[in-house]
Amino acid sequence: MIKGLKISTVWVLDQDRAKEFYTEKLGLEIRTDMTMGEAGARWLTVGSPSQPDVELTLMVPGPPAMDPESAEMVKKLVTKGALGAGVLTTDDIHGDYKRLKDRGVEFLQEPQERPYGTEALFRDDSGNWFSFTQPREDLDLSQDWAS
């Protein structure tokens, strides 16, 4: 049976730049940075120090994961900002929003109240957008879903 999610892929345009963004700006830690096999694909994973069992692999679209045509399509979608990479959570949305903004993280939306918590939106250095959320304990249906 499935026990949970261990690794999720975030498509990036440049692994060195992504490594710097995710570690120096977001404060995640490097879990793995190695070359795999004869093809020389780089396996780069990061994660939150408070969540050691979950990793994000920062992968450039291309072989061996996908053919060149598909890779170019994914790169265009990433660059355009058409892909949402996920939800990152915090227990101090306003303080962390300010800290990340001061580190140069590009926010698309400042913190706003939502039924599921207080949410801000930001982009990584490749164009992927993330929800950055301080979750509520219970869903509050009196809040607007979007403003």
Side-chain angles (χ1 to χ4, degrees):
M1 294 298 292
I2 295 173
K3 291 182 169 183
L5 177 66
K6 172 70 177 154
I7 300 173
S8 184
T9 299
V10 177
W11 297 110
V12 299
L13 303 177
D14 180 295
Q15 285 178 306
D16 289 326
R17 221 177 59 218
K19 179 180 176 180
E20 181 180 325
F21 179 86
Y22 282 83
T23 59
E24 294 179 19
K25 291 189 178 181
L26 297 186
L28 301 180
E29 63 186 16
I30 297 167
R31 300 285 174 74
T32 308
D33 190 353
M34 62 180 270
T35 302
M36 299 185 315
E38 292 177 25
R42 184 175 180 189
W43 183 253
L44 173 60
T45 67
V46 296
S48 170
S50 65
Q51 198 175 21
D53 57 334
V54 177
E55 299 175 66
L56 297 176
T57 180
L58 307 175
M59 298 292 293
V60 175
M66 62 183 68
D67 62 81
E69 182 182 354
S70 297
E72 285 308 309
M73 293 166 88
V74 172
K75 286 177 186 177
K76 284 180 183 178
L77 289 171
V78 169
T79 301
K80 187 177 181 177
L83 300 180
V87 178
L88 300 176
T89 61
T90 179
D91 57 3
D92 180 13
I93 188 72
H94 296 287
D96 287 338
Y97 167 80
K98 182 180 181 336
R99 279 185 281 284
L100 293 178
K101 193 166 180 158
D102 288 348
R103 290 181 193 164
V105 175
E106 176 194 356
F107 278 87
L108 305 172
Q109 172 193 292
E110 61 187 39
Q112 295 184 10
E113 295 301 315
R114 301 284 185 241
Y116 44 84
T118 307
E119 175 189 58
L121 299 175
F122 71 86
R123 284 190 202 270
D124 72 5
D125 66 310
S126 292
N128 297 297
W129 63 270
F130 285 85
S131 167
F132 186 50
T133 302
Q134 181 173 340
R136 293 186 195 290
E137 283 190 36
D138 297 311
L139 192 61
D140 180 0
L141 296 177
S142 69
Q143 293 289 331
D144 290 334
W145 283 97
S147 319

